[in-house]
Amino acid sequence: MSDSLISSAYSQALEVIASVEPRIAEATRQELADQRGSLKLIASENYASPAVLMTMGTWFSDKYAEGTVGHRFYAGCQNVDTVESLAAEHARELFGAPYAYVQPHSGIDANLVAFWSILANRVESPYLQKLQAKNVNELTEADWESLRHELGNQRLLGMSLDAGGHLTHGFRPNISGKMFHQQQYGTDPATGLLDYDAVAAKAREFKPLILVAGYSAYPRRVDFAKMREIADEVGAVLMVDMAHFAGLVAGKVFTGDENPVPHAHVVTTTTHKSLRGPRGGMVLAQEEFAADVDRGCPMVLGGPLSHVMAAKAVALAEARTTEFQAYAQKVADNAKSLAEGFLSRGAHLVTGGTDNHLVLLDVSSFGLTGRQAESALLDAGVVTNRNSVPADPNGAWYTSGVRLGTPALTTRGFGHDEFDTVAELIVDVLSNTEAGTTKAGEPSKASYVLGDGVADRVTKRSAEMLDKHPLYPGLVLG
Ligand SMILES: *Cc1c(COP(=O)(O)O)cnc(C)c1O
């Protein structure tokens, strides 16, 4: 698509929006300017293509389509059927999955659909069988009571948040930590690496119904064949949440035992992180779980976001190209360059490096908390997020780490040299930041003092790189 076509499409769209609520048009313009002008290192973010973004802005948004393809609870869903079947077909082919469900609105929704599908498939309850047989009216109040008791006491074993897992993997404040009897596995305190023997020992003792693998802040690959072995030994269902690294699976960087799809019973993902699609979720499953996952609506979801399913189909069509494979490989190569850039400058990384798309920088050696580091970096135009490190002495709010990912800047065309410079700039900021004090003169975990001239120096160097690798090159708003 030509640059002038995209430029005029967005310029005109903003005019239409401005005619109703100019402040939203203005905020939309400003967001583009801000994204263009900052070094985005948030590991869960990316930049979707104009084709993906435009697909979300259509009248598909106006259509209700509860149900499944060809079996809707609303009339007039023939075009939504086309969209949903195509998105699911692309997903099955791209990931080599027997079944794909593209309705979840987000990663969390995808996980809820997966949890309830596994419960429906695996909990042997006479009450549940009645429910599946649709004899809902036969259930008495006492039946419902027993059903709630049975469902509420199933066991889930997931990776703990501070080891890099996600809050939906059994974290107490999340619903997954309340609807399941849960336990968590961590990483080896000495190496920061997953210890499969320890996971297996915990699984043998706890005997979970669901073993969850996958992460948001673990900088290494996972051996999913081993995770499946552990699940099989204790009779658990292996659920893998590949929200963060789906792009590396789609781009064939993670293959064999590192590809979760052939090993897991159920795989969930977001579509907007390394996969570079619209904001949404997806569930892939082995045949035996397909019928249960298909009941995502009405089990967990209401009407699907048809405009987003359409954008998922477009993004998945992009992800099956050789260009996307080259992108995914570059994401992983760039993470290595970033890690080497830090290590060569004496910084500490959790696990000592990376072999995926993210690094976890331990900022305690700079005398800072994650909160102080994140804020100081933002002052210099570097957008990151603070993150716990294993056994974090500063807890989940202040933390001792900063998580950095390469998917977004790789989309802009950053390569080895730029990521080495990114490491240099971050080390420059952090080594010139001092922890501040509270009003009472006590050491503070939040306030900080950034050295004179650092922000300007770093912003200038970043601007050179950002100008050389523009976001949406050719897109000029009139
Ligand atoms: C981001 C993420 C999610 C949640 O995705 P949302 O779309 O924000 O709901 C779930 N699981 C993992 C592992 C994630 O990294």
Side-chain angles (χ1 to χ4, degrees), residues 6-231:
I6 296 170
S7 296
S8 71
Y10 275 112
S11 300
Q12 290 171 28
L14 285 165
E15 256 180 63
V16 174
I17 296 165
S19 72
V20 181
E21 178 46 286
R23 287 169 294 182
I24 293 297
E26 191 41 45
T28 308
R29 282 173 186 275
Q30 191 56 47
E31 179 61 21
L32 178 61
D34 290 355
Q35 292 211 18
R36 279 179 160 167
S38 57
L39 221 45
K40 173 145 102 172
L41 287 156
I42 294 181
S44 50
E45 293 187 7
N46 211 328
Y47 305 106
S49 72
V52 167
L53 297 178
M54 282 178 176
T55 308
M56 282 189 281
T58 79
W59 25 94
F60 269 121
S61 173
D62 299 329
K63 191 75 199 90
Y64 246 108
E66 282 181 38
T68 47
V69 174
H71 186 77
R72 306 283 185 187
F73 292 87
Y74 289 80
C77 294
Q78 59 284 357
N79 299 310
V80 179
D81 281 354
T82 303
V83 159
E84 185 171 351
S85 334
L86 197 59
E89 184 187 313
H90 283 343
R92 287 194 305 270
E93 279 174 12
L94 179 63
F95 291 107
Y99 170 79
Y101 186 65
V102 298
Q103 290 192 18
H105 308 171
S106 69
I108 282 200
D109 281 3
N111 284 350
L112 283 175
V113 169
F115 289 150
W116 285 100
S117 312
I118 295 167
L119 289 172
N121 187 280
R122 284 297 163 96
V123 176
E124 285 180 22
S125 151
Y127 312 110
L128 204 58
Q129 278 161 16
K130 277 196 222 172
L131 192 60
Q132 299 299 16
K134 297 198 171 73
N135 296 329
V136 179
N137 296 337
E138 285 177 23
L139 296 178
T140 63
E141 264 314 307
D143 287 340
W144 284 111
E145 188 59 40
S146 312
L147 182 57
R148 278 195 292 272
H149 183 77
E150 252 168 272
L151 291 179
N153 281 290
Q154 297 299 322
R155 293 166 206 241
L156 176 129
L157 178 61
M159 192 177 195
S160 71
L161 196 66
D162 76 346
H166 190 256
L167 59 132
T168 52
H169 301 177
F171 185 51
R172 280 292 184 205
N174 182 258
I175 188 169
S176 60
K178 300 184 175 82
M179 66 184 249
F180 288 108
H181 175 30
Q182 57 76 268
Q183 278 194 19
Q184 310 251 279
Y185 58 86
T187 45
D188 183 322
T191 61
L193 294 170
L194 257 179
D195 175 350
Y196 296 94
D197 292 338
V199 177
K202 201 150 216 181
R204 273 180 216 123
E205 197 194 312
F206 185 51
K207 302 220 171 359
L209 172 74
I210 305 177
L211 174 63
V212 185
Y215 53 78
S216 300
Y218 180 68
R220 296 290 176 177
R221 302 184 185 190
V222 174
D223 183 336
F224 295 109
K226 255 190 201 150
M227 289 306 250
R228 176 60 186 257
E229 252 172 54
I230 295 171

Side-chain angles (χ1 to χ4, degrees), residues 26 29 67-68 94 96 100 182 184 189-190 216 225 242 264 275-276 310 327 356 388 399 405 412 430-431 444 455 475:
E26 191 41 45
R29 282 173 186 275
T68 47
L94 179 63
Q182 57 76 268
Q184 310 251 279
S216 300
M242 63 171 182
L275 193 54
R276 212 164 62 183
Y327 162 72
N356 57 19
S388 306
T399 79
R412 288 181 75 140
L430 299 181
S431 45
S444 164
L475 168 57

